[in-house]
Amino acid sequence: MTARTLGPALLFCPADRPDRYAKAAERSDAVVLDLEDAVAPSAKAAARAALVDTPLDPARTVVRVNAAGTADLDADLDALRRTAYRTVMLPKTASAADLDALEGFATIALVETAAGVLHAAEIAAVPHVVALHWGADDLVASLGGTASRHPDGRWRHVALHARSTVLVAAGAHGKPAYDAVHMDIGDLDGLAREAADAAASGFVGTACVHPSQVAVVRAAFRPDDAAVERARRLLDAASRERGVFRFAGRMVDGPVLAHAREVLRRAGSTEDAAPRPVQR
């Protein structure tokens, strides 16, 4: 399994709530069983037991473990080895060295500290890192700040800097990236705008904290019929042209054709879509 096959809507579920596991899996593209922030310290042992005793499809399940260098991570890995789960998310990934303990697991590196943002490229270069994800609240806390968003819901500049840095670092190493969660559950319009921007910018998905967010994220990452038809007509025209040409009043060159191929890939078409190149 690769992170790209998980789908655009990842849904977090507390690992100490096995009664929610199946519902979370049914309502999302992939479920993230959370052993970290969603679980109180006193409940972590019970959460690990639930992880072992309540299996889900490993191809659509990610386990968020605790941070590197903690006794909780050691206990998490002991529990994971008793399951079929081999895709994990490491929170607060600050450097490539933080990932050493997870060799053998396909790892989504969650970059959410100042050190992690500075080292995003080296984190993305680790072979068993299959994707990057970023978080804003822990990042701002690590800087001594008090809010990652403006009162109107817009990201503050420091959060946008981290978002862009993580996306570029992932892309430079041929890895996909997931956008941060939208914590205001009732603000579906804001989520829709953010997810649409994420899709247009190159993220492959957005993490969700509530099932109501899943449909919004899926819609943002699924090109509509008009976009698919435009992409097909553009690529058809390109097959009859040589070099730069004009289409529907717009100059078309290589990057524009790449955008069209990506629209078809996201729409599930393979006839014109080319795989994204991996840079090494």
Side-chain angles (χ1 to χ4, degrees):
M1 179 189 70
T2 66
R4 193 177 293 279
T5 67
L6 292 176
L10 309 184
L11 178 59
F12 280 93
C13 176
D16 63 342
R17 294 299 305 270
D19 55 308
R20 297 182 182 177
Y21 283 16
K23 289 181 180 179
E26 290 168 3
R27 297 176 183 180
S28 64
D29 296 315
V31 61
V32 182
L33 300 179
D34 190 3
L35 289 167
E36 195 221 9
D37 282 349
V39 179
S42 61
K44 288 189 186 288
R48 295 182 192 106
L51 191 76
V52 173
D53 295 339
T54 315
L56 294 174
D57 178 2
R60 296 182 54 246
T61 305
V62 178
V63 178
R64 179 159 78 167
V65 294
N66 284 276
T70 65
D72 278 321
L73 176 58
D74 294 337
D76 294 343
L77 295 178
D78 286 342
L80 274 169
R81 293 186 181 102
R82 296 157 58 199
T83 74
Y85 303 135
R86 290 298 177 267
T87 303
V88 300
M89 180 183 292
L90 182 68
K92 301 178 180 65
T93 308
S95 69
D98 283 352
L99 295 150
D100 290 348
L102 296 173
E103 191 168 356
F105 291 92
T107 305
I108 299 174
L110 175 49
V111 175
E112 52 183 345
T113 66
V117 173
L118 282 179
H119 298 133
E122 71 178 57
I123 290 167
V126 173
H128 63 271
V129 167
V130 295
L132 266 59
H133 179 31
W134 79 283
D137 290 333
D138 278 295
L139 168 64
V140 170
S142 78
L143 296 170
T146 60
S148 60
R149 295 180 184 267
H150 293 284
D152 65 1
R154 292 177 297 115
W155 289 119
R156 295 186 183 276
H157 289 306
V158 68
L160 290 174
H161 169 74
R163 184 179 191 247
S164 298
T165 298
V166 168
L167 177 62
V168 170
H173 291 278
K175 310 285 178 73
Y178 283 91
D179 203 14
V181 297
H182 195 84
M183 295 296 288
D184 187 348
I185 295 171
D187 181 26
L188 295 181
D189 289 340
L191 171 64
R193 288 191 297 271
E194 220 158 78
D197 179 77
S201 298
F203 287 95
V204 298
T206 295
C208 303
V209 294
H210 192 272
S212 64
Q213 297 179 326
V214 169
V216 177
V217 169
R218 284 174 171 166
F221 281 86
R222 182 176 57 247
D224 61 27
D225 292 343
V228 171
E229 180 59 24
R230 283 195 301 272
R232 285 185 173 141
R233 288 193 295 109
L234 174 59
L235 292 172
D236 179 64
S239 69
R240 299 188 297 273
E241 299 284 351
R242 297 179 64 181
V244 176
F245 66 99
R246 181 173 176 172
F247 179 82
R250 181 183 179 187
M251 186 193 79
V252 176
D253 57 6
V256 176
L257 296 178
H259 297 168
R261 293 189 186 98
E262 179 65 14
V263 167
L264 295 189
R265 188 194 69 77
R266 292 189 182 189
S269 171
T270 59
E271 57 187 355
D272 292 308
R276 182 175 298 184
V278 176
Q279 299 182 19
R280 298 192 184 279

